Amino acid sequence: MKLHLSVDMEGINGLPDHTFVQSNLHNYERGRKLMTEETNHVIRSAFDHGCTDFLVNDSHSKMNNLLVDELDPRADLITGGVKPFSMVEGITGQTDGAMFLGYHARAGQPGVMSHSMIFGVRNFFINDIAVGELGLNAYVAGHHGVPVIFVGGDDQAAKEAEELIPNVTTAAVKQSITRSAVKTLPPKRAYELVYNKVQHAIENRHQVEPLVPPKNPTLRIEFVNYGQAEWASLMPGTEIEPNSCIVKFEAKDILEAYRAMLVMTELAMRTTFS
C-alpha cells in the first residue's frame, strides 16, 4: 500500500499562533520539532497497519520545515520549493491514499491561523464552490483517482474536511478559541489520537471516494484589495471580474487550475501598501 502525506504546520498540536510557524520568529524551532514528531506518529501507524511505501511532502511556507534527521527512516521526504504541485507534489495514480496533517481552515472562516495559501486571498472558488487549501489539494488527489482518507489539524479543519469528503477520518488535535488561541491536547495525547485515527483511516479507506474535480473548471480568486487582483491578472488567460477584486481563469483541468492558482498568488504577493 502506497500512501502520501502532505504536512502543513498551522494545524499541528500545541501551535497557537504565527510565532511557531514563521522561520524568523522565536518559537519556530519548537514548532518544527512538534511538526516532525506528529508526522512520525502518522508514519509509524501507517507501517504498523499495512503500508509498504510512504511519501511525505513538506507543505508549509518554504516547504523545508521537517527535520529530516529526526524523521522515521522508512519514509521518503519531498522538501523545499519550488514544486510544480506545491502541497500535493508526489501524488500519482499509483498512490493508494492521501493524508493531510497539520491542516487549517480556509480564509474567512474561524480556526487557528485560518487562511488560503496567502493572507491576500479572501476566497478560492472552483465553479463557484468556495474551497481552501484542503479542498484544492483534495481535488488534485481526486484527479489522480486518489481518495483523501485522513485529515489532522484543528477542529475547524476537521469540520471542513468532513463537510467536503464523506467518510474521511479526522483527528482534531486542538480546539480553536480564536485565530491565535487554542485549547490543545498535550503532545503525548495528540500523538496517541493521531496514531489511532490513522489506523482507522487505513481500515476505512475503501469507504472513501476520491473527490473528483469538475471538468474544465473555472478558477476564481477573490483578493483582499484591487492591487493584488491587478498583479494576479498579469498571468495570461486571466481577467478581473467587473467591480470586484476577483480574478477568473478558465482551466482545461484541475491541474492547470492549481498551477494557475500558484502563479496568481505569487504575483499577488508583490503588491505593496502604497
Side-chain angles (χ1 to χ4, degrees), residues 17 23 26 29 46 66 83 92 96 102 111 146-147 157-158 170 178 182 184 195-196 214 225-227 237 249 254 266:
D17 60 41
S23 61
H26 61 287
E29 289 303 322
L66 287 164
K83 302 170 186 173
T92 71
D96 295 302
V146 178
T170 61
T178 66
V182 297
T184 186
Y195 182 94
N196 291 335
N225 69 56
Y226 199 79
F249 177 75
I254 198 66
E266 285 291 327

Side-chain angles (χ1 to χ4, degrees), residues 10-245:
E10 289 88 353
I12 295 296
N13 79 92
L15 278 56
D17 60 41
H18 71 290
T19 65
F20 286 85
V21 302
Q22 289 183 212
S23 61
N24 62 329
L25 297 181
H26 61 287
N27 283 320
Y28 173 69
E29 289 303 322
R30 178 63 182 147
R32 296 180 77 190
K33 291 184 71 68
L34 289 167
M35 179 189 190
T36 304
E37 192 55 36
E38 193 168 319
T39 299
N40 279 337
H41 279 75
V42 175
I43 299 168
R44 289 165 190 158
S45 184
F47 277 103
D48 286 350
H49 299 102
C51 178
T52 56
D53 190 321
F54 199 98
L55 179 61
V56 178
N57 181 38
D58 193 324
S59 299
H60 174 72
S61 188
K62 299 301 181 183
M63 302 189 174
N64 56 3
N65 312 278
L66 287 164
L67 300 168
V68 65
D69 51 325
E70 296 183 16
L71 197 69
D72 189 309
R74 292 171 291 182
D76 292 325
L77 173 65
I78 299 175
T79 183
V82 175
K83 302 170 186 173
F85 289 101
S86 187
M87 299 178 76
V88 281
E89 184 69 31
I91 291 181
T92 71
Q94 285 68 54
T95 306
D96 295 302
M99 298 190 288
F100 299 160
L101 186 69
Y103 270 52
H104 52 81
R106 62 184 177 87
Q109 300 301 306
V112 63
M113 294 180 273
S114 59
H115 66 279
S116 295
M117 297 302 287
I118 65 170
F119 290 112
V121 168
R122 182 168 288 152
N123 280 298
F124 289 141
F125 298 97
I126 296 292
N127 286 10
D128 297 323
I129 298 173
V131 294
E133 296 170 20
L134 195 159
L136 285 173
N137 293 340
Y139 272 143
V140 172
H143 173 87
H144 295 292
V146 178
V148 177
I149 63 173
F150 169 84
V151 175
D154 75 330
D155 58 326
Q156 297 303 313
K159 178 184 177 184
E160 187 174 316
E162 290 162 3
E163 291 174 350
L164 191 66
I165 307 166
N167 300 319
V168 68
T169 299
T170 61
V173 297
K174 56 191 177 186
Q175 308 293 314
S176 172
I177 298 172
T178 66
R179 278 194 79 255
S180 59
V182 297
K183 178 183 176 183
T184 186
L185 295 175
K188 288 185 179 180
R189 286 169 56 200
Y191 301 151
E192 181 179 3
L193 174 67
V194 165
Y195 182 94
N196 291 335
K197 289 288 190 174
V198 169
Q199 176 184 355
H200 180 268
I202 291 171
E203 294 170 348
N204 187 62
R205 68 189 184 280
H206 297 301
Q207 305 303 314
V208 185
E209 296 293 330
L211 187 67
V212 179
K215 296 180 179 179
N216 308 120
T218 299
L219 167 69
R220 298 167 68 242
I221 303 180
E222 182 182 11
F223 291 97
V224 171
N225 69 56
Y226 199 79
Q228 292 160 334
E230 286 178 327
W231 268 105
S233 69
L234 293 178
M235 193 186 83
T238 62
E239 62 176 303
I240 302 176
E241 295 186 358
N243 304 311
S244 78
C245 295

